[in-house]
Coordinates of all heavy atoms in Angstrom, one line a residue:
M1074 N 13.8 52.0 8.7 CA 13.2 53.3 9.0 C 12.2 53.2 10.1 O 12.0 54.1 10.8 CB 12.6 53.9 7.7 CG 13.7 54.3 6.7 SD 15.0 55.3 7.3 CE 14.3 56.9 7.4
V1075 N 11.5 52.0 10.2 CA 10.6 51.8 11.3 C 11.2 52.0 12.6 O 10.6 52.7 13.5 CB 10.0 50.4 11.2 CG1 9.1 50.1 12.4 CG2 9.1 50.2 9.9
L1076 N 12.3 51.6 12.8 CA 13.0 51.8 14.1 C 13.2 53.2 14.5 O 12.9 53.7 15.5 CB 14.4 51.2 14.1 CG 14.4 49.6 14.1 CD1 15.9 49.1 14.0 CD2 13.7 49.0 15.3
C1077 N 13.5 54.0 13.5 CA 13.7 55.5 13.7 C 12.4 56.2 14.0 O 12.4 57.1 14.7 CB 14.4 56.1 12.4 SG 16.1 55.5 12.3
T1078 N 11.3 55.7 13.4 CA 10.0 56.5 13.6 C 9.4 56.1 14.9 O 8.6 56.7 15.5 CB 9.0 56.2 12.5 OG1 8.8 54.8 12.4 CG2 9.5 56.7 11.1
Q1079 N 9.8 54.9 15.5 CA 9.3 54.4 16.7 C 10.1 54.6 18.0 O 9.7 54.4 19.1 CB 8.9 52.9 16.6 CG 8.0 52.6 15.5 CD 6.6 53.1 15.8 OE1 6.1 53.1 16.9 NE2 6.0 53.7 14.7
S1080 N 11.4 55.0 17.8 CA 12.3 55.1 18.9 C 13.2 56.3 18.7 O 13.9 56.5 17.7 CB 13.2 53.9 19.0 OG 14.3 54.1 19.8
K1081 N 13.2 57.2 19.7 CA 14.0 58.4 19.7 C 15.5 58.1 19.7 O 16.3 58.7 19.1 CB 13.7 59.4 20.8 CG 12.3 60.0 20.7 CD 12.0 60.9 21.9 CE 10.6 61.4 21.9 NZ 10.3 62.4 20.9
F1082 N 15.8 57.0 20.4 CA 17.2 56.5 20.5 C 17.7 56.2 19.0 O 18.7 56.7 18.6 CB 17.3 55.3 21.4 CG 18.7 54.6 21.2 CD1 19.8 55.1 21.8 CD2 18.8 53.5 20.4 CE1 21.1 54.6 21.6 CE2 20.0 52.9 20.2 CZ 21.1 53.4 20.8
F1083 N 16.9 55.3 18.3 CA 17.3 55.0 17.0 C 17.3 56.2 16.0 O 18.2 56.3 15.1 CB 16.5 53.8 16.5 CG 16.9 52.5 17.1 CD1 16.0 51.9 18.0 CD2 18.1 51.9 16.8 CE1 16.4 50.7 18.6 CE2 18.4 50.7 17.4 CZ 17.6 50.1 18.3
E1084 N 16.4 57.0 16.1 CA 16.3 58.2 15.3 C 17.6 59.1 15.5 O 18.2 59.5 14.6 CB 15.1 59.0 15.6 CG 14.9 60.3 14.8 CD 13.7 61.2 15.1 OE1 13.2 61.1 16.2 OE2 13.3 61.9 14.3
A1085 N 18.0 59.3 16.7 CA 19.1 60.1 17.1 C 20.3 59.4 16.6 O 21.3 60.1 16.0 CB 19.2 60.4 18.5
A1086 N 20.5 58.1 16.8 CA 21.6 57.4 16.4 C 21.8 57.4 14.8 O 22.9 57.4 14.3 CB 21.5 55.9 16.8
C1087 N 20.7 57.4 14.1 CA 20.8 57.4 12.6 C 20.9 58.7 12.0 O 21.5 58.8 10.9 CB 19.5 56.7 12.1 SG 19.4 54.9 12.5
F1088 N 20.4 59.8 12.6 CA 20.3 61.0 11.9 C 20.9 62.2 12.6 O 21.0 63.4 12.0 CB 18.8 61.4 11.6 CG 18.1 60.4 10.8 CD1 17.1 59.6 11.3 CD2 18.5 60.2 9.4 CE1 16.5 58.7 10.5 CE2 17.9 59.2 8.7 CZ 16.9 58.5 9.2
N1089 N 21.5 62.1 13.8 CA 21.9 63.3 14.5 C 23.5 63.3 14.6 O 24.0 63.9 15.5 CB 21.4 63.3 15.8 CG 19.9 63.7 15.9 OD1 19.3 64.0 14.9 ND2 19.2 63.6 17.0
G1090 N 24.1 62.8 13.6 CA 25.6 62.9 13.6 C 26.4 62.1 14.6 O 27.6 62.3 14.7
F1091 N 25.7 61.2 15.2 CA 26.6 60.3 16.1 C 27.3 59.3 15.3 O 27.1 59.2 14.0 CB 25.5 59.4 17.0 CG 24.8 60.3 18.0 CD1 23.4 60.2 18.1 CD2 25.4 61.1 18.8 CE1 22.7 60.9 18.9 CE2 24.7 62.0 19.7 CZ 23.3 61.8 19.8
K1092 N 28.3 58.7 15.9 CA 29.2 57.7 15.1 C 28.3 56.7 14.4 O 28.8 56.2 13.3 CB 30.2 57.2 16.1 CG 29.7 56.2 17.0 CD 30.9 55.5 17.8 CE 30.3 54.5 18.8 NZ 31.3 53.7 19.5
E1093 N 27.2 56.3 15.0 CA 26.4 55.3 14.4 C 25.9 55.7 13.0 O 25.8 54.9 12.1 CB 25.2 54.9 15.3 CG 25.6 54.1 16.6 CD 26.1 55.1 17.6 OE1 26.1 56.3 17.5 OE2 26.4 54.6 18.8
S1094 N 25.6 57.0 12.9 CA 25.1 57.4 11.6 C 26.1 57.4 10.5 O 25.8 57.2 9.4 CB 24.4 58.8 11.7 OG 25.4 59.8 12.1
T1095 N 27.4 57.7 10.9 CA 28.4 57.7 9.9 C 28.9 56.3 9.6 O 29.3 56.0 8.4 CB 29.5 58.6 10.2 OG1 30.1 58.2 11.5 CG2 29.1 60.0 10.3
A1096 N 28.8 55.4 10.6 CA 29.3 54.0 10.4 C 28.2 53.1 9.9 O 28.5 51.9 9.4 CB 29.8 53.5 11.7
S1097 N 27.0 53.6 9.9 CA 25.8 52.8 9.4 C 25.7 51.5 10.2 O 25.4 50.4 9.7 CB 25.9 52.5 8.0 OG 25.8 53.6 7.2
R1098 N 26.0 51.6 11.5 CA 26.0 50.4 12.4 C 25.7 50.9 13.8 O 26.4 51.8 14.3 CB 27.3 49.7 12.3 CG 27.4 48.4 13.1 CD 28.8 47.8 13.1 NE 28.6 46.5 13.6 CZ 28.9 45.3 13.0 NH1 29.4 45.4 11.8 NH2 28.7 44.2 13.6
I1099 N 24.9 50.2 14.5 CA 24.5 50.5 15.9 C 25.0 49.2 16.8 O 24.5 48.2 16.5 CB 23.1 50.8 16.2 CG1 22.7 52.0 15.4 CG2 22.8 51.0 17.7 CD1 21.2 52.3 15.3
D1100 N 25.9 49.5 17.7 CA 26.5 48.3 18.4 C 25.6 48.2 19.7 O 25.6 49.0 20.6 CB 27.9 48.7 18.8 CG 28.5 47.5 19.7 OD1 27.9 46.4 19.8 OD2 29.7 47.7 20.2
L1101 N 24.8 47.0 19.7 CA 24.0 46.7 20.8 C 24.6 45.5 21.6 O 23.9 44.8 22.3 CB 22.6 46.5 20.4 CG 21.9 47.7 19.8 CD1 20.6 47.3 19.2 CD2 21.8 48.8 20.8
S1102 N 25.8 45.2 21.4 CA 26.4 43.9 21.9 C 26.4 43.8 23.4 O 26.6 42.8 24.0 CB 27.9 43.7 21.3 OG 28.7 44.7 21.8
E1103 N 26.3 45.0 24.1 CA 26.3 45.0 25.5 C 25.0 44.6 26.1 O 24.8 44.4 27.3 CB 26.8 46.3 26.1 CG 28.2 46.6 25.8 CD 28.7 47.9 26.4 OE1 28.0 48.5 27.2 OE2 29.7 48.4 26.0
N1104 N 23.9 44.6 25.2 CA 22.6 44.3 25.7 C 22.2 42.8 25.5 O 22.7 42.2 24.5 CB 21.6 45.2 24.9 CG 22.0 46.6 25.1 OD1 22.6 47.3 24.3 ND2 21.5 47.2 26.3
D1105 N 21.3 42.3 26.2 CA 20.9 41.0 26.1 C 20.1 40.7 24.8 O 19.2 41.5 24.5 CB 19.9 40.7 27.3 CG 19.5 39.2 27.4 OD1 19.2 38.6 26.4 OD2 19.6 38.7 28.5
P1106 N 20.5 39.8 24.0 CA 19.8 39.5 22.7 C 18.4 39.3 22.9 O 17.5 39.7 22.0 CB 20.6 38.3 22.2 CG 21.9 38.2 22.8 CD 21.7 38.9 24.2
C1107 N 18.0 38.7 24.0 CA 16.5 38.5 24.3 C 15.8 39.8 24.2 O 14.8 40.0 23.6 CB 16.4 37.8 25.6 SG 14.7 37.7 26.2
Y1108 N 16.4 40.8 25.0 CA 15.7 42.1 25.1 C 15.6 42.9 23.8 O 14.7 43.5 23.5 CB 16.3 42.9 26.2 CG 16.2 42.3 27.6 CD1 17.2 42.5 28.6 CD2 15.2 41.5 28.0 CE1 17.2 41.9 29.8 CE2 15.1 40.9 29.3 CZ 16.1 41.1 30.1 OH 16.0 40.6 31.4
I1109 N 16.8 42.7 23.1 CA 16.8 43.4 21.8 C 15.8 42.8 20.8 O 15.0 43.6 20.2 CB 18.2 43.3 21.2 CG1 19.2 44.1 22.0 CG2 18.3 43.7 19.7 CD1 20.7 43.9 21.7
T1110 N 15.6 41.5 20.8 CA 14.7 40.9 20.0 C 13.2 41.3 20.3 O 12.5 41.7 19.5 CB 14.8 39.3 20.1 OG1 16.0 39.0 19.7 CG2 13.7 38.6 19.3
L1111 N 13.0 41.3 21.7 CA 11.6 41.8 22.1 C 11.3 43.2 21.8 O 10.2 43.6 21.3 CB 11.4 41.5 23.6 CG 11.3 40.0 23.9 CD1 11.4 39.8 25.4 CD2 10.1 39.3 23.3
M1112 N 12.4 44.0 21.9 CA 12.2 45.5 21.6 C 11.9 45.7 20.1 O 11.1 46.5 19.8 CB 13.5 46.2 22.0 CG 13.4 47.7 21.6 SD 15.0 48.6 21.7 CE 15.9 47.8 20.4
I1113 N 12.6 45.0 19.3 CA 12.4 45.1 17.9 C 11.0 44.6 17.5 O 10.3 45.2 16.6 CB 13.5 44.5 17.0 CG1 14.8 45.3 17.2 CG2 13.2 44.3 15.5 CD1 16.1 44.6 16.7
D1114 N 10.6 43.5 18.1 CA 9.3 43.0 17.8 C 8.2 44.1 18.2 O 7.3 44.3 17.4 CB 9.0 41.8 18.7 CG 9.6 40.6 18.3 OD1 10.1 40.5 17.1 OD2 9.6 39.5 19.0
F1115 N 8.5 44.7 19.3 CA 7.5 45.8 19.7 C 7.5 47.0 18.8 O 6.5 47.5 18.4 CB 7.8 46.2 21.2 CG 6.8 47.3 21.6 CD1 5.5 46.9 22.0 CD2 7.1 48.6 21.6 CE1 4.6 47.9 22.4 CE2 6.2 49.6 22.0 CZ 4.9 49.2 22.3
L1116 N 8.7 47.4 18.4 CA 8.8 48.5 17.5 C 8.2 48.3 16.2 O 7.6 49.2 15.6 CB 10.3 49.0 17.4 CG 11.0 49.6 18.6 CD1 12.5 49.8 18.3 CD2 10.3 50.8 19.1
Y1117 N 8.2 47.1 15.7 CA 7.6 46.8 14.4 C 6.0 46.5 14.5 O 5.3 46.7 13.6 CB 8.3 45.6 13.7 CG 9.5 46.0 12.9 CD1 10.7 46.2 13.5 CD2 9.3 46.3 11.6 CE1 11.8 46.6 12.7 CE2 10.4 46.8 10.8 CZ 11.7 46.9 11.4 OH 12.7 47.3 10.6
T1118 N 5.6 45.8 15.6 CA 4.3 45.4 15.7 C 3.4 46.1 16.8 O 2.2 45.9 16.9 CB 4.2 43.8 16.0 OG1 4.8 43.6 17.3 CG2 5.0 43.1 14.9
Q1119 N 4.1 46.8 17.6 CA 3.4 47.4 18.9 C 3.0 46.3 19.8 O 2.0 46.7 20.6 CB 2.3 48.4 18.4 CG 2.8 49.6 17.5 CD 3.8 50.5 18.3 OE1 3.4 51.0 19.3 NE2 5.0 50.5 17.9
N1120 N 3.5 45.3 19.8 CA 3.1 44.1 20.7 C 4.3 43.2 20.8 O 5.1 43.1 19.8 CB 1.9 43.5 20.2 CG 1.3 42.5 21.2 OD1 1.6 42.6 22.4 ND2 0.4 41.7 20.7
Y1121 N 4.4 42.5 21.9 CA 5.3 41.4 22.0 C 4.8 40.5 23.2 O 4.1 40.9 24.1 CB 6.8 41.8 22.2 CG 7.0 42.5 23.6 CD1 7.5 41.7 24.6 CD2 6.7 43.9 23.8 CE1 7.7 42.3 25.9 CE2 7.0 44.4 25.0 CZ 7.4 43.6 26.1 OH 7.6 44.3 27.4
D1122 N 5.3 39.3 23.2 CA 5.0 38.3 24.3 C 6.3 37.7 24.8 O 6.7 36.8 24.1 CB 4.0 37.3 23.8 CG 3.5 36.4 24.9 OD1 4.1 36.5 26.0 OD2 2.6 35.6 24.7
P1123 N 6.8 38.1 25.9 CA 8.1 37.6 26.4 C 8.0 36.1 26.7 O 9.0 35.5 26.9 CB 8.4 38.5 27.5 CG 7.1 39.1 28.0 CD 6.3 39.2 26.7
T1124 N 6.8 35.6 27.0 CA 6.7 34.2 27.4 C 6.7 33.2 26.2 O 7.0 32.1 26.4 CB 5.3 34.0 28.2 OG1 4.3 34.3 27.3 CG2 5.3 34.9 29.4
T1125 N 6.6 33.7 25.0 CA 6.6 32.8 23.8 C 7.6 33.1 22.9 O 7.8 32.3 21.9 CB 5.2 32.9 23.1 OG1 5.0 34.3 22.6 CG2 4.0 32.5 24.0
S1126 N 8.5 34.1 23.1 CA 9.5 34.4 22.1 C 10.6 33.4 22.3 O 11.0 33.1 23.3 CB 10.1 35.8 22.4 OG 11.2 36.1 21.6
G1127 N 10.9 32.8 21.1 CA 11.9 31.6 21.2 C 13.2 31.9 21.8 O 13.7 31.1 22.6
I1128 N 13.8 33.1 21.6 CA 15.1 33.4 22.1 C 15.0 33.7 23.6 O 16.0 33.5 24.4 CB 15.7 34.6 21.4 CG1 17.2 34.8 21.7 CG2 15.0 35.9 21.7 CD1 17.9 35.6 20.9
C1129 N 13.9 34.0 24.2 CA 13.7 34.5 25.5 C 13.0 33.4 26.4 O 13.1 33.6 27.7 CB 13.0 35.8 25.6 SG 13.7 37.1 24.7
S1130 N 12.3 32.6 25.9 CA 11.3 31.7 26.7 C 12.1 31.0 27.7 O 11.7 30.8 28.9 CB 10.5 30.8 25.9 OG 11.4 30.0 25.1
F1131 N 13.3 30.6 27.5 CA 14.1 29.8 28.5 C 14.5 30.7 29.7 O 14.6 30.2 30.8 CB 15.4 29.2 27.9 CG 16.4 30.3 27.6 CD1 17.4 30.6 28.5 CD2 16.4 30.9 26.4 CE1 18.4 31.5 28.2 CE2 17.4 31.8 26.0 CZ 18.3 32.1 27.0
K1132 N 14.5 32.0 29.5 CA 14.8 32.9 30.6 C 13.6 33.3 31.4 O 13.7 33.9 32.6 CB 15.4 34.2 30.1 CG 16.7 34.0 29.4 CD 17.2 35.3 28.9 CE 18.6 35.1 28.3 NZ 19.3 36.4 28.1
L1133 N 12.4 33.0 30.9 CA 11.2 33.5 31.6 C 10.3 32.5 32.1 O 9.1 32.6 32.2 CB 10.4 34.4 30.6 CG 11.2 35.6 30.0 CD1 10.5 36.3 28.9 CD2 11.5 36.6 31.2
T1134 N 10.9 31.4 32.6 CA 10.1 30.3 33.2 C 9.5 30.8 34.5 O 8.5 30.3 35.0 CB 10.9 29.0 33.4 OG1 12.1 29.3 34.1 CG2 11.3 28.5 32.0
D1135 N 10.2 31.7 35.1 CA 9.8 32.3 36.4 C 9.1 33.6 36.0 O 9.7 34.5 35.5 CB 10.9 32.6 37.3 CG 10.6 33.2 38.6 OD1 9.4 33.5 38.9 OD2 11.4 33.4 39.5
T1136 N 7.7 33.7 36.4 CA 7.0 34.9 36.0 C 7.5 36.2 36.6 O 7.1 37.2 36.3 CB 5.5 34.7 36.4 OG1 5.3 34.4 37.8 CG2 4.9 33.6 35.5
H1137 N 8.3 36.0 37.7 CA 8.9 37.3 38.3 C 9.9 38.0 37.5 O 10.2 39.1 37.7 CB 9.5 36.9 39.7 CG 8.6 36.3 40.7 ND1 7.6 37.0 41.3 CD2 8.5 35.1 41.2 CE1 6.9 36.3 42.1 NE2 7.3 35.1 42.1
N1138 N 10.4 37.2 36.5 CA 11.2 37.9 35.5 C 10.5 38.8 34.5 O 11.1 39.7 33.8 CB 12.1 36.8 34.8 CG 13.0 36.1 35.7 OD1 13.6 36.7 36.6 ND2 13.4 34.9 35.3
I1139 N 9.3 38.6 34.3 CA 8.5 39.3 33.2 C 8.5 40.8 33.5 O 8.8 41.6 32.6 CB 7.2 38.7 33.0 CG1 7.3 37.3 32.4 CG2 6.3 39.6 32.1 CD1 6.0 36.5 32.3
P1140 N 8.3 41.3 34.8 CA 8.3 42.8 34.9 C 9.7 43.4 34.6 O 9.8 44.4 34.1 CB 7.9 42.9 36.4 CG 7.1 41.7 36.8 CD 7.7 40.6 35.9
Q1141 N 10.8 42.6 35.0 CA 12.1 43.1 34.7 C 12.3 43.1 33.2 O 12.9 44.1 32.7 CB 13.1 42.2 35.4 CG 14.6 42.5 35.1 CD 15.0 43.9 35.5 OE1 14.6 44.4 36.6 NE2 15.6 44.8 34.7
T1142 N 11.8 42.2 32.5 CA 11.9 42.2 31.1 C 11.3 43.4 30.5 O 11.8 44.1 29.6 CB 11.2 40.8 30.5 OG1 11.9 39.7 31.0 CG2 11.3 40.9 29.0
H1143 N 10.0 43.7 31.0 CA 9.3 44.9 30.4 C 10.1 46.2 30.6 O 10.3 47.0 29.8 CB 8.0 45.0 31.0 CG 7.0 44.0 30.7 ND1 6.7 43.5 29.4 CD2 6.2 43.2 31.5 CE1 5.9 42.6 29.5 NE2 5.5 42.4 30.7
L1144 N 10.7 46.3 31.8 CA 11.6 47.5 32.2 C 12.8 47.5 31.3 O 13.2 48.6 30.9 CB 11.9 47.5 33.6 CG 10.8 47.7 34.6 CD1 11.2 47.5 36.0 CD2 10.2 49.1 34.4
S1145 N 13.4 46.4 31.1 CA 14.7 46.4 30.3 C 14.4 46.7 28.9 O 15.2 47.5 28.2 CB 15.3 45.0 30.3 OG 15.7 44.7 31.7
I1146 N 13.2 46.3 28.3 CA 12.9 46.6 26.9 C 12.6 48.1 26.8 O 13.0 48.8 25.8 CB 11.7 45.8 26.4 CG1 12.2 44.3 26.3 CG2 11.2 46.3 25.1 CD1 11.1 43.3 26.2
Q1147 N 11.9 48.6 27.7 CA 11.6 50.1 27.8 C 12.9 50.9 27.8 O 13.1 51.9 27.1 CB 10.7 50.5 28.9 CG 10.3 51.9 28.8 CD 9.4 52.3 29.9 OE1 9.0 51.5 30.8 NE2 9.0 53.6 30.0
A1148 N 13.8 50.5 28.6 CA 15.1 51.2 28.8 C 15.9 51.2 27.4 O 16.5 52.1 27.0 CB 15.9 50.6 29.9
L1149 N 15.9 50.0 26.7 CA 16.6 50.0 25.5 C 16.0 50.9 24.4 O 16.7 51.5 23.6 CB 16.5 48.5 24.9 CG 17.5 47.5 25.4 CD1 17.0 46.1 24.9 CD2 18.8 47.9 25.0
G1150 N 14.6 51.0 24.4 CA 14.0 51.8 23.3 C 14.1 53.3 23.6 O 13.9 54.1 22.7
D1151 N 14.4 53.7 24.9 CA 14.5 55.1 25.2 C 15.8 55.8 24.7 O 16.8 55.3 24.7 CB 14.2 55.4 26.6 CG 12.8 55.4 26.9 OD1 11.9 55.6 26.0 OD2 12.5 55.4 28.2

């Protein structure tokens, strides 16, 4: 339920009659697992650190990737 209260996307997917609400499953397989992990971290804690997340740290050795990471996470949550 936390996801639904923090994200309009998840709220709509769960409660607005989309196929996800009847299947009780949301397919995010087309999205990078790193970004999904960080987005869920943020939705639950209102914070995340892309430089220390275990699943993502190997992708973020170049600090130029961090702004792109922030944008990707925001796009996922919308």
Side-chain angles (χ1 to χ4, degrees):
M1074 296 308 283
V1075 170
L1076 293 177
C1077 295
T1078 62
Q1079 299 297 319
S1080 168
K1081 291 182 190 280
F1082 167 80
F1083 285 109
E1084 179 182 25
C1087 292
F1088 298 114
N1089 288 353
F1091 295 128
K1092 70 176 183 175
E1093 291 85 359
S1094 64
T1095 57
S1097 298
R1098 182 181 193 124
I1099 298 173
D1100 181 9
L1101 299 173
S1102 62
E1103 293 181 15
N1104 301 98
D1105 189 313
C1107 169
Y1108 299 148
I1109 293 170
T1110 299
L1111 291 171
M1112 177 194 63
I1113 291 171
D1114 284 350
F1115 181 78
L1116 293 174
Y1117 274 89
T1118 66
Q1119 297 299 297
N1120 193 15
Y1121 70 94
D1122 184 350
T1124 61
T1125 61
S1126 178
I1128 194 170
C1129 302
S1130 59
F1131 71 94
K1132 294 181 179 191
L1133 298 172
T1134 55
D1135 179 358
T1136 57
H1137 297 291
N1138 290 334
I1139 293 175
Q1141 178 61 43
T1142 299
H1143 294 312
L1144 291 172
S1145 297
I1146 292 165
Q1147 181 178 1
L1149 275 174
D1151 275 348

